[in-house]
Amino acid sequence: GGKIGVDKIVKMEDLERVYPDLIGPLGITVPPLGRDNVGDGVSREYRSLYNEEAKDHVDRYFSADIEAFNYVF
């Protein structure tokens, strides 16, 4: 794989937890992160929404990201 040209990568699922550490060194005050469009709390597990063709598509186009960031799809 290629090199990633950034200092830090934060997964979306970790952003709220690490946000203070990210902005702290900047010495600025910013509002807390909001949470929009988070679903109804009873939605199915996202993987169940993909048929086999869609799963193959995701695997084909995003396999490097899935591997690099230790996701399971």
Side-chain angles (χ1 to χ4, degrees):
K3 291 189 176 187
I4 299 173
V6 296
D7 294 332
K8 186 170 197 70
I9 295 174
V10 177
K11 294 179 180 180
M12 287 300 297
E13 59 268 25
D14 297 332
L15 184 57
E16 190 171 6
R17 181 178 52 78
V18 301
Y19 185 63
D21 295 331
L22 293 173
I23 62 165
L26 301 175
I28 59 174
T29 302
V30 294
L33 293 175
R35 296 195 70 182
D36 293 337
N37 195 22
V38 295
D40 58 13
V42 295
S43 297
R44 295 181 290 176
E45 211 279 330
Y46 76 91
R47 290 178 193 92
S48 69
L49 302 174
Y50 289 79
N51 62 23
E52 286 305 313
E53 182 180 354
K55 289 177 185 178
D56 291 343
H57 180 81
V58 169
D59 186 49
R60 190 170 39 250
Y61 289 99
F62 299 104
S63 61
D65 293 336
I66 292 168
E67 182 177 335
F69 301 113
N70 297 316
Y71 283 114
V72 175
F73 185 77

